[in-house]
């Protein structure tokens, strides 16, 4: 065989081996979201998808598979082919989901690979605008003086981070609160404005409109630090040390995905979250774009899961489907 013929055969074989890879790379990356279009998580997923598409030079589409607190989407991604075409846009509610849906067929630690932290969404503690309470300290004092089982708080639903935020508040202050669940942030905030409940633990994004119109009063954010978009609003932790409720957003891929894909995706995510346009879009939604690498995100996942398990145990919470 001549050198020229050998070279042609090698090049032909190489072309055949590269062709499937080129086809794979051309396929869209699906960012699967466990909530309906138009909601807070979906909006942030679309901001992230657009930025990732630019960094990866690849089409990134958002695919909504809503229901059961995001567990339908998680189950779908866990069972997807680990081909680098499907990623879960996950949030902290999935850490609590096993206590609410004990029949889950996946495990976050076992069936997924972390690709990095996207950011955090801020929650807020609020009271009706006609309440005399102006600070977290005054609220705690008021609760302690009230008759047992009379101080109510609204949340977006049983088992939500908003609900657990109220339970953690009661544990940290050694007070009694009665949980009143609503179907979503808007109904919960409207109930607070109408005086149906004494306080609410709700997303900052769903509360800020009513606060600006003077119908409710924001007392504090629930995260450890003040929300950058509202630096004059204190954090609960400034009054109650150790208190922190920070719904986080992170990317997960099926467990057997190529490590090179995770490395590429994580690098693109880091650059995406550093874009000013992305940071501004997150702030507009009451959130903060804050990247963490896969290893740090996986450590956080374990620590945060254990922390909320402790809150559920200490508050003696049970969830009925």
């Amino acid at each position: 065989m001549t050198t020229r013929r050998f070279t042609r055969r090698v090049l032909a074989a190489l072309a055949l081996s590269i062709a499937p890879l080129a086809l794979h790379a051309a396929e869209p990356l699906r960012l699967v979201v466990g909530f309906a279009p138009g909601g807070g998580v979906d909006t942030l997923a679309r901001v992230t998808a657009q930025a990732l598409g630019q960094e990866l030079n690849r089409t990134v589409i958002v695919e909504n598979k809503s229901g059961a607190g995001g567990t339908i989407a998680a189950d779908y991604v866990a069972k997807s082919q680990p081909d680098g075409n499907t990623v879960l846009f996950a949030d902290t509610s999935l850490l609590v989901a096993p206590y609410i849906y004990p029949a889950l067929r996946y495990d976050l630690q076992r069936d997924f690979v972390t690709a990095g932290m996207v950011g955090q969404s801020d929650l807020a503690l609020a009271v009706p605008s006609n309440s005399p309470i102006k600070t977290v300290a005054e609220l705690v004092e008021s609760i302690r003086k009230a008759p047992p089982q009379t101080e109510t708080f609204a949340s977006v639903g049983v088992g939500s981070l908003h609900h657990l935020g109220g339970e953690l508040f009661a544990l940290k202050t050694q007070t009694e609160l009665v949980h009143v669940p609503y179907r979503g942030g808007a109904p919960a905030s409207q109930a607070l404005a109408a005086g149906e409940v004494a306080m609410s633990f709700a997303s900052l994004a769903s509360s800020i409109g009513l606060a600006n119109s003077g119908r409710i009063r924001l007392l504090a954010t629930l995260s450890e630090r003040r929300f950058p978009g509202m630096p004059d609003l204190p954090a609960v932790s400034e009054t109650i040390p150790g208190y922190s409720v920070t719904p986080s957003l992170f990317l997960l891929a099926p467990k057997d995905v190529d490590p090179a894909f995770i490395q590429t995706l994580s690098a693109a995510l880091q650059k995406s979250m550093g874009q000013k346009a992305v940071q501004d879009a997150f702030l507009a939604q009451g959130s903060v774009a804050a990247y963490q690498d896969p290893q740090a995100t996986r450590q956080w996942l374990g620590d945060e899961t254990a922390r909320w398990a402790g809150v559920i145990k200490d508050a003696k919470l049970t969830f009925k489907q």
Side-chain angles (χ1 to χ4, degrees):
M1 182 184 299
T2 66
T3 301
R4 182 176 296 177
R5 287 178 61 193
F6 176 76
T7 301
R8 283 202 302 267
R9 289 193 177 186
V10 169
L11 289 175
L14 183 60
L16 288 173
S17 67
I18 290 176
L21 294 177
L23 179 62
H24 164 77
E27 293 181 26
L29 173 63
R30 295 182 299 162
L31 210 59
V32 181
V33 179
F35 301 92
V41 175
D42 173 76
T43 299
L44 295 177
R46 293 179 189 278
V47 171
T48 303
Q50 182 176 5
L52 278 177
Q54 294 171 354
E55 295 295 343
L56 293 169
N57 193 26
R58 180 181 181 185
T59 299
V60 181
I61 60 175
V62 172
E63 186 172 324
N64 300 89
K65 292 190 175 294
S66 61
T71 60
I72 291 175
D75 186 72
Y76 173 80
V77 174
K79 293 174 172 57
S80 297
Q81 290 296 320
D83 53 12
N85 292 326
T86 307
V87 173
L88 179 65
F89 192 85
D91 79 303
T92 307
S93 63
L94 292 177
L95 279 57
V96 182
Y99 297 93
I100 304 172
Y101 308 99
L104 291 178
R105 295 174 293 177
Y106 68 85
D107 181 275
L108 283 183
Q109 296 281 1
R110 182 192 66 219
D111 297 324
F112 293 93
V113 176
T114 55
M117 185 73 73
V118 175
Q120 291 83 38
S121 296
D122 271 61
L123 302 182
L125 171 59
V127 295
S129 59
N130 60 2
S131 170
I133 294 168
K134 301 287 197 302
T135 67
V136 173
E138 290 177 2
L139 177 63
V140 173
E141 183 180 1
S142 175
I143 296 170
R144 287 175 175 161
K145 290 180 178 178
Q149 299 294 309
T150 60
E151 294 298 283
T152 55
F153 75 92
S155 86
V156 301
V158 174
S160 64
L161 261 290
H162 312 64
H163 172 201
L164 295 184
E167 299 292 350
L168 180 61
F169 189 92
L171 288 171
K172 288 285 187 181
T173 58
Q174 297 182 330
T175 57
E176 285 189 19
L177 294 177
V178 178
H179 177 224
V180 183
Y182 290 85
R183 291 184 178 274
S189 294
Q190 291 288 347
L192 178 68
E196 295 177 12
V197 290
M199 70 200 80
S200 74
F201 292 81
S203 73
L204 187 58
S206 68
S207 304
I208 208 163
L210 289 173
N212 288 340
S213 66
R215 298 183 63 192
I216 66 174
R217 179 182 301 122
L218 300 180
L219 298 184
T221 60
L222 307 193
S223 56
E224 287 182 316
R225 42 92 186 117
R226 296 190 178 198
F227 177 60
M230 300 178 69
D232 293 333
L233 185 65
V236 171
S237 61
E238 295 174 32
T239 303
I240 306 172
Y243 183 92
S244 174
V245 183
T246 310
S248 297
L249 304 165
F250 48 102
L251 300 186
L252 299 175
K255 64 179 178 180
D256 293 324
V257 73
D258 188 343
F261 166 73
I262 294 296
Q263 185 176 5
T264 299
L265 178 61
S266 182
L269 181 64
Q270 182 176 19
K271 291 180 179 179
S272 296
M273 295 302 103
Q275 294 179 14
K276 186 178 186 306
V278 171
Q279 294 172 352
D280 289 346
F282 268 61
L283 286 176
Q285 292 295 318
S287 302
V288 177
Y291 169 83
Q292 286 185 15
D293 64 41
Q295 184 176 356
T297 303
R298 191 163 190 84
Q299 179 66 47
W300 168 87
L301 191 63
D303 293 345
E304 195 73 350
T305 298
R307 185 167 81 95
W308 287 117
V311 171
I312 291 170
K313 179 181 178 181
D314 292 344
K316 299 180 174 57
L317 299 179
T318 56
F319 305 103
K320 295 180 181 179
Q321 295 190 52

